[in-house]
Amino acid sequence: MSDVTVSKPKTTRSWAWLGIAPFILFAVMFLILPTMHIIIGAFKNQQGEVTLDNIRNLFQPSIMASYWISIKISVASAFFGCLIGFAIAASVTLGGLPKWIRAPLMTFSGVASNFAGVPLAFAFIATLGRLGLVTVLLKSWFGINIYAMGFNLLSFFGLTITYLFFQIPLMVLIVTPALDGLKKEWKEAAQILGASGFQYWRMVALPILWPTLLGTFALLFANAFGAVATAYALTGSSLSIVPILLFAQIRGDVLQDPHLGYALAFGMIVITGFANGIYIWMRTRAERWMK
Amino acid sequence: MAFLDLSNLQKFYGTNHVVKDFSIGIEKGEFISFLGPSGCGKTTTLRMVAGFEVPDQGAISIDGQDVVRLKPNQRNIGMVFQAYALFPNMTVAQNVGFGLKIAGKPKDQIAERVTEMLALVGLKDFGARYPFQLSGGQQQRVALARALAPSPQVLLLDEPLSALDAKIRVSLREEIRNIQRDLGITTIYVTHDQEEALSMSDRIVVMHDGIAEQIGEPFEIYNKPASRFVAEFVGTLNLIDATVEDSSTGRVKVAGQHLELGRSLEAVNGATVSLALRPETVRLGRIADGDQTLTGLVEEVSFLGSVVRIKVALGGNHIVLDTFNRTISKPPSIGDQIEVSFPSESVMI
Amino acid sequence: MSKKIWSWLALVFGILYFGLPLLGTLEFSLKMRRGVYSLDAYAAVLNDPQFRATFSYSVIMALFTIVLGVIIVVPTAYWVQLKYRRLRPFIEFITLLPLVIPPIVVVFGYIRLYNTSSWLPLTGSAMGTNILLMFGYATLSLPYMYRAVDTGLRAIDVRTLTEAAESLGANWLTIMTRVIMPNVLVAILSGAFLTFAIVIGEFVMAALLNRPAFGPYLQIMGANRAYEPAALAVIAFAITWACMGLIQLVTRFQKFSRVAR
């Protein structure tokens, strides 16, 4: 009995480190070191000297245009993803729709939020491509030729619509529990104190949901910004968004400057990191009232 | 017409008739409790007054004005909810000032009123805190201050103490009552706790199955229950089966022993009736001359601190009695044969 | 009542937006034979040896990734819960990093860090690249796997269970395999199915590491064929749906077993 009590704390401590070590090793080797390597590479030239030239070279019109279109698509798809996802989640939780709708909606959202990448591109080509179902139906039923009207799936607008297919469900998945967390008593307390429905949303519900909404927006932004497969399968490399440019660069050094590739990737990290930085900063401001 | 008048309220949830023909007139400044088990319709009635539920029939008027068509935010009513109804994203001061801000009051007026209200509930220095930094009791005080800040005509309290622990419950109920008296605000208090209702109210409405079983002062409700349900729900009750021997004189037989109730009974001779006795009216031993006595065996003794509760078996019946704990005399032990006595007028039939 | 109308409108919009692409894809996939609906596209896909090869490669990769993920995540989440509560924000931050750092950047790092002339030349051999790809997949699924397991562990009282097992003389391995694992099995399975869904369709990592996985195969088909891609999209959607359905199923099964206890 006595040797058990003596030896136990010691063995527990040594085991504890072992329990966490594989994780740390994994995170360092396959997440942190590769990322650090890219970041450091962005500040080095071919000879290994420290330089800002790579970063400076990012500011050429074609690369800037790539970043700009990427940011536009990401912001638009994150914004509308949040807005529409919120509307759908609110309809189901608070809008008085039949209760049975909820379970299938959540399951479907789980599926659709993971249905990204190449197959998603196929689905939209089959729907909104030149021979897609909706394109053809609109033409033959209503005489509307969306392609003649300037629509193109391989564009800012087309890509945003496609990305919304996984952005909206992701928002639904995250915001539904948050909407459930709004207590009925808060609304009633606000009402009985004289507040209108609008005032309740502006002064109570939205401030409470704000951290969740911000976080989801940042997540959706990063989600769209880093997405390669859908865009690549849709457009080949004809639409020059940053991840596709980087993809082509890694495959074939299209920029003819390996270290510019590092800088390109570094720029992506900076932008998603910046989005999340804003999120964390706003969240700490918005969350003073949380434990 | 009373200040707050509820007349012939009816409410259905589907086919479920939750409030049946409920009427009461409440005077200005009165403290009324709705007392009843869960599902008796007390909360639904309260929510109809607040405007969260629309009655299927009947009228509600405050100070002569019909409010049934008004939305909750137009009724000028204050309400305290069961728990957790403070806005978590606002400080205590912002919570209390919410109603005034909605009403468009100037900032300095709001600040002044908030300070006043926080002082009233004894939380003067807590204005800058957030709800999560307060205890449950403190949160409910803030909720009270918030409800009172816009000077409502009527205050509604929906089981405000049920989520708190016993000690705070007792102190807070006294505080609520004092504040209510000071402000003279007409108040409806919903509770399932008879002790709360009895100790706080001017009048109590005992509700059961959507019906007001009895409306009366606490003394009346406790001592002269209008129905078997009221008698059983409010306080502890001993029920003893007795056989009527002489209905004109009130002589009955319990487990082979005779009792003289000293009044005529409605039942015919030979019928079985239930006698009801409050535990506190039954005493150990024979004390006064006119008392009725019964002899039985001690079955259980529970020591409750200041009071000792003794369960006595009388044939197939049981009597529970409370006796004060005296340091000098030990309570009887289980199996003792003892005599219990009570005044004949304390027996309810 | 206007609230209800808006709710229905939002729902109808959702059904149209999500329903039409699925319907469009399904319809397109059936149109291979001129004039009639047929399953020709599916037959063509299923008979394609490339399809079988890449699909089975991805399935095997997914299975290995799941095992790797469990080995990495479960002990860590357990120890964080049990002993290192202070480390929790730090560990959680790391598990969320893959949502912030784009996968293409991570794999770019791999290519440069583990190339043939580096200290760990994983990309030098096919097996090495497979292993590298598996670790890449594991980072992709890390946020989901960790979250699922952590939630599962929080639902049971890890500390009490562990102390009870220790007091009965169980060692670490026994505690892990006999006490903790069975209790968070459902959480692990949820994470596993999600990982499976992610790995099967993954494109960027496999394409840049030049491995013959299902994702790059899909892309090549998309660039060269007309009807087969639609059939493949339907199949991919069905696989995703099956994974999510299995998550629901195991979760529901757990609820039943909890009630029964």
Side-chain angles (χ1 to χ4, degrees), chain A residues 82-93:
Chain A
C82 281
L83 202 70
I84 299 167
F86 185 87
I88 292 175
S91 304
V92 175
T93 50

PDB file of all heavy atoms in Angstrom, chain A residues 82-93:
ATOM      1  N   CYS A  82     -23.406  34.732 -43.955  1.00  0.00           N
ATOM      2  CA  CYS A  82     -23.879  35.072 -42.608  1.00  0.00           C
ATOM      3  C   CYS A  82     -25.326  35.540 -42.649  1.00  0.00           C
ATOM      4  O   CYS A  82     -26.170  35.093 -41.875  1.00  0.00           O
ATOM      5  CB  CYS A  82     -23.008  36.178 -41.988  1.00  0.00           C
ATOM      6  SG  CYS A  82     -21.450  35.572 -41.339  1.00  0.00           S
ATOM      7  N   LEU A  83     -25.602  36.437 -43.582  1.00  0.00           N
ATOM      8  CA  LEU A  83     -26.933  37.044 -43.640  1.00  0.00           C
ATOM      9  C   LEU A  83     -28.006  35.993 -43.937  1.00  0.00           C
ATOM     10  O   LEU A  83     -28.996  35.865 -43.202  1.00  0.00           O
ATOM     11  CB  LEU A  83     -26.926  38.117 -44.741  1.00  0.00           C
ATOM     12  CG  LEU A  83     -27.992  39.191 -44.646  1.00  0.00           C
ATOM     13  CD1 LEU A  83     -27.683  40.095 -43.466  1.00  0.00           C
ATOM     14  CD2 LEU A  83     -28.038  39.998 -45.935  1.00  0.00           C
ATOM     15  N   ILE A  84     -27.786  35.217 -45.003  1.00  0.00           N
ATOM     16  CA  ILE A  84     -28.801  34.246 -45.410  1.00  0.00           C
ATOM     17  C   ILE A  84     -28.868  33.106 -44.401  1.00  0.00           C
ATOM     18  O   ILE A  84     -29.949  32.655 -44.023  1.00  0.00           O
ATOM     19  CB  ILE A  84     -28.508  33.729 -46.838  1.00  0.00           C
ATOM     20  CG1 ILE A  84     -28.540  34.905 -47.816  1.00  0.00           C
ATOM     21  CG2 ILE A  84     -29.511  32.674 -47.239  1.00  0.00           C
ATOM     22  CD1 ILE A  84     -27.978  34.585 -49.192  1.00  0.00           C
ATOM     23  N   GLY A  85     -27.695  32.661 -43.946  1.00  0.00           N
ATOM     24  CA  GLY A  85     -27.678  31.595 -42.937  1.00  0.00           C
ATOM     25  C   GLY A  85     -28.412  32.025 -41.684  1.00  0.00           C
ATOM     26  O   GLY A  85     -29.178  31.252 -41.098  1.00  0.00           O
ATOM     27  N   PHE A  86     -28.189  33.276 -41.286  1.00  0.00           N
ATOM     28  CA  PHE A  86     -28.883  33.800 -40.111  1.00  0.00           C
ATOM     29  C   PHE A  86     -30.388  33.810 -40.346  1.00  0.00           C
ATOM     30  O   PHE A  86     -31.167  33.397 -39.483  1.00  0.00           O
ATOM     31  CB  PHE A  86     -28.385  35.216 -39.816  1.00  0.00           C
ATOM     32  CG  PHE A  86     -28.942  35.801 -38.559  1.00  0.00           C
ATOM     33  CD1 PHE A  86     -28.313  35.576 -37.347  1.00  0.00           C
ATOM     34  CD2 PHE A  86     -30.092  36.564 -38.576  1.00  0.00           C
ATOM     35  CE1 PHE A  86     -28.832  36.099 -36.174  1.00  0.00           C
ATOM     36  CE2 PHE A  86     -30.616  37.092 -37.404  1.00  0.00           C
ATOM     37  CZ  PHE A  86     -29.976  36.859 -36.206  1.00  0.00           C
ATOM     38  N   ALA A  87     -30.799  34.269 -41.536  1.00  0.00           N
ATOM     39  CA  ALA A  87     -32.235  34.334 -41.839  1.00  0.00           C
ATOM     40  C   ALA A  87     -32.854  32.944 -41.772  1.00  0.00           C
ATOM     41  O   ALA A  87     -33.939  32.769 -41.187  1.00  0.00           O
ATOM     42  CB  ALA A  87     -32.449  34.953 -43.219  1.00  0.00           C
ATOM     43  N   ILE A  88     -32.166  31.962 -42.332  1.00  0.00           N
ATOM     44  CA  ILE A  88     -32.731  30.604 -42.326  1.00  0.00           C
ATOM     45  C   ILE A  88     -32.770  30.052 -40.901  1.00  0.00           C
ATOM     46  O   ILE A  88     -33.784  29.506 -40.455  1.00  0.00           O
ATOM     47  CB  ILE A  88     -31.909  29.680 -43.263  1.00  0.00           C
ATOM     48  CG1 ILE A  88     -32.110  30.123 -44.719  1.00  0.00           C
ATOM     49  CG2 ILE A  88     -32.332  28.228 -43.098  1.00  0.00           C
ATOM     50  CD1 ILE A  88     -31.265  29.389 -45.726  1.00  0.00           C
ATOM     51  N   ALA A  89     -31.667  30.237 -40.167  1.00  0.00           N
ATOM     52  CA  ALA A  89     -31.640  29.727 -38.784  1.00  0.00           C
ATOM     53  C   ALA A  89     -32.695  30.413 -37.938  1.00  0.00           C
ATOM     54  O   ALA A  89     -33.393  29.770 -37.135  1.00  0.00           O
ATOM     55  CB  ALA A  89     -30.252  29.937 -38.180  1.00  0.00           C
ATOM     56  N   ALA A  90     -32.846  31.728 -38.126  1.00  0.00           N
ATOM     57  CA  ALA A  90     -33.835  32.457 -37.330  1.00  0.00           C
ATOM     58  C   ALA A  90     -35.248  32.010 -37.688  1.00  0.00           C
ATOM     59  O   ALA A  90     -36.121  31.894 -36.819  1.00  0.00           O
ATOM     60  CB  ALA A  90     -33.688  33.962 -37.554  1.00  0.00           C
ATOM     61  N   SER A  91     -35.489  31.732 -38.979  1.00  0.00           N
ATOM     62  CA  SER A  91     -36.812  31.257 -39.379  1.00  0.00           C
ATOM     63  C   SER A  91     -37.163  29.970 -38.661  1.00  0.00           C
ATOM     64  O   SER A  91     -38.290  29.782 -38.206  1.00  0.00           O
ATOM     65  CB  SER A  91     -36.858  30.981 -40.879  1.00  0.00           C
ATOM     66  OG  SER A  91     -36.483  32.115 -41.587  1.00  0.00           O
ATOM     67  N   VAL A  92     -36.180  29.101 -38.556  1.00  0.00           N
ATOM     68  CA  VAL A  92     -36.465  27.790 -37.981  1.00  0.00           C
ATOM     69  C   VAL A  92     -36.547  27.849 -36.458  1.00  0.00           C
ATOM     70  O   VAL A  92     -37.403  27.209 -35.848  1.00  0.00           O
ATOM     71  CB  VAL A  92     -35.400  26.767 -38.428  1.00  0.00           C
ATOM     72  CG1 VAL A  92     -35.612  25.442 -37.739  1.00  0.00           C
ATOM     73  CG2 VAL A  92     -35.466  26.593 -39.920  1.00  0.00           C
ATOM     74  N   THR A  93     -35.674  28.653 -35.830  1.00  0.00           N
ATOM     75  CA  THR A  93     -35.700  28.674 -34.362  1.00  0.00           C
ATOM     76  C   THR A  93     -36.762  29.613 -33.817  1.00  0.00           C
ATOM     77  O   THR A  93     -37.407  29.292 -32.825  1.00  0.00           O
ATOM     78  CB  THR A  93     -34.335  29.113 -33.799  1.00  0.00           C
ATOM     79  OG1 THR A  93     -33.937  30.307 -34.469  1.00  0.00           O
ATOM     80  CG2 THR A  93     -33.284  28.051 -34.005  1.00  0.00           C
TER      81      THR A  93
END
